[in-house]
Amino acid sequence: MSDTGSALGTAGTAAGLPSGMHLPTAVNRFATRALVAPLMSSTLPLPVRRAGLDLVGAALPLPRGTRRTRGVLGGVPTEVVAPAGPFGPHRVLYLHGGGYLVGSPASHRPLLAGLAHATGTPVHAPEYRLAPEHPFPAALDDALAAWQALRTAGRPAHRIAVVGDSAGGGLAMSLLLRLRDSGSELPGAVGLISPWLDLSCSADALTRNARSDAMLDPSWLAGAVDGYAADWAGTPELCPLDADLAGLPPLHVVAGADEVLVDDADALVERAGAAGTSVSYERTAGMWHDYPTMAGLLAEADEALRTLGLALRADCTR
């Protein structure tokens, strides 16, 4: 798949708001709790949740000049979100979140666009297969196929950043471990936004931050694990916090201090740093799970993506 694919056009504004018109944090928190959190809950039928999240993503503003295309990457339907250009030699492979059950490039489009502008290059977001229809390892196999397609197209491994949010962050780490354990070349950098890394759902923050997290209800996680990985407990690729984290590319981690998964990010940063892997960590006070999905509306989201994008660009273009 090329960086252009089949054109979908250029985006400027959405929902009547110019790109970059930030709303107060309290308004974003309320909107997340009222509009997004219910779509993450198992109380709604799965098709409704999937369609609803896509509609929310389509309604949010994108930076002016954003370009979107559709195509196929390694046999996986993929959306490419890009700034106006010109582009550097690097590219981003993005794995969206949603508990492996919901989410798509459409639901994450504002985040993808913000990251594309911050990195100055196209972001490739495969629409990997979702559980429970396609449990582990389907999502990982699709992520690997997309990675290999970028490599086959001539993109050097060190010029590719792999990024993911929430379950997509766990998927990014699974991909990294599979590549490392197979002796393959590794990406130039890895970005993790509110990564979900502990599928045992035993972290203290699941209780400690249950009321402060505007997006994610921890009671939903066990059902997501059952749908995705019930038959694969203990598989090394699903246990990145127990893996050897030495010799990995630079890890850049973003999390909200008020989210239920912040302990996962904390543990990864501590263990990777102790193993000698280069790690940066933006742990933002007052922020909830996956807050960068509010890019374009939330100042903290845009700042997090700007910082992450600059770090990824630096690692993959040196």
Side-chain angles (χ1 to χ4, degrees):
M1 177 180 175
S2 71
D3 290 332
T4 54
S6 57
L8 291 181
T10 300
T13 62
L17 290 171
S19 176
M21 180 179 285
H22 297 139
L23 300 176
T25 299
V27 174
N28 278 282
R29 182 183 291 107
F30 175 81
T32 299
R33 194 179 295 277
L35 299 177
V36 181
L39 295 171
M40 300 293 291
S41 169
S42 57
T43 58
L44 293 174
L46 199 53
V48 173
R49 293 154 63 192
R50 290 172 177 171
L53 286 169
D54 285 355
L55 287 173
V56 170
L60 296 179
L62 304 182
R64 294 188 185 279
T66 300
R67 295 186 294 168
R68 297 187 291 112
T69 59
R70 290 282 298 180
V72 176
L73 193 61
V76 183
T78 299
E79 182 164 319
V80 181
V81 181
F87 312 136
H90 58 302
R91 294 294 183 269
V92 176
L93 177 64
Y94 194 91
L95 304 172
H96 68 80
Y100 303 103
L101 304 179
V102 299
S104 73
S107 67
H108 284 63
R109 198 167 286 148
L111 190 160
L112 299 176
L115 189 61
H117 285 264
T119 55
T121 201
V123 173
H124 298 255
E127 195 169 336
Y128 61 82
R129 288 170 291 172
L130 298 175
E133 301 95 324
H134 305 285
F136 179 86
L140 179 54
D141 290 344
D142 287 354
L144 179 61
W147 164 268
Q148 291 174 333
L150 285 176
R151 298 282 288 111
T152 300
R155 196 68 53 186
H158 72 279
R159 297 294 192 199
I160 304 172
V162 175
V163 188
D165 69 283
S166 194
L171 185 57
M173 286 300 298
S174 294
L175 175 61
L176 186 60
L177 294 175
R178 178 172 285 192
L179 291 172
R180 195 267 305 275
D181 293 346
S182 67
S184 300
E185 290 184 90
L186 300 180
V190 175
L192 304 172
I193 299 170
S194 297
W196 185 21
L197 306 171
D198 178 13
L199 299 189
S200 74
C201 302
S202 59
D204 176 69
L206 294 173
T207 301
R208 185 180 73 246
N209 289 344
R211 297 187 65 180
S212 61
D213 195 326
M215 177 181 284
L216 192 57
D217 184 335
S219 67
W220 178 69
L221 296 175
V225 174
D226 286 343
Y228 177 62
D231 297 329
W232 297 85
T235 299
E237 291 170 343
L238 293 175
C239 303
L241 294 180
D242 296 330
D244 177 7
L245 299 177
L248 299 181
L251 303 179
H252 302 285
V253 184
V254 176
D258 286 356
E259 68 167 286
V260 296
L261 295 183
V262 69
D263 286 359
D264 290 21
D266 290 348
L268 178 71
V269 169
E270 179 181 358
R271 296 173 192 182
T277 291
S278 174
V279 184
S280 70
Y281 189 18
E282 183 166 347
R283 190 182 195 272
T284 308
M287 289 294 108
W288 51 89
H289 178 68
D290 229 358
Y291 70 93
T293 56
M294 301 301 287
L297 295 179
L298 177 65
E300 291 89 344
D302 286 355
E303 178 59 24
L305 292 179
R306 185 191 71 82
T307 301
L308 176 60
L310 289 174
L312 297 173
R313 182 192 299 199
D315 287 336
C316 293
T317 58
R318 63 180 53 175

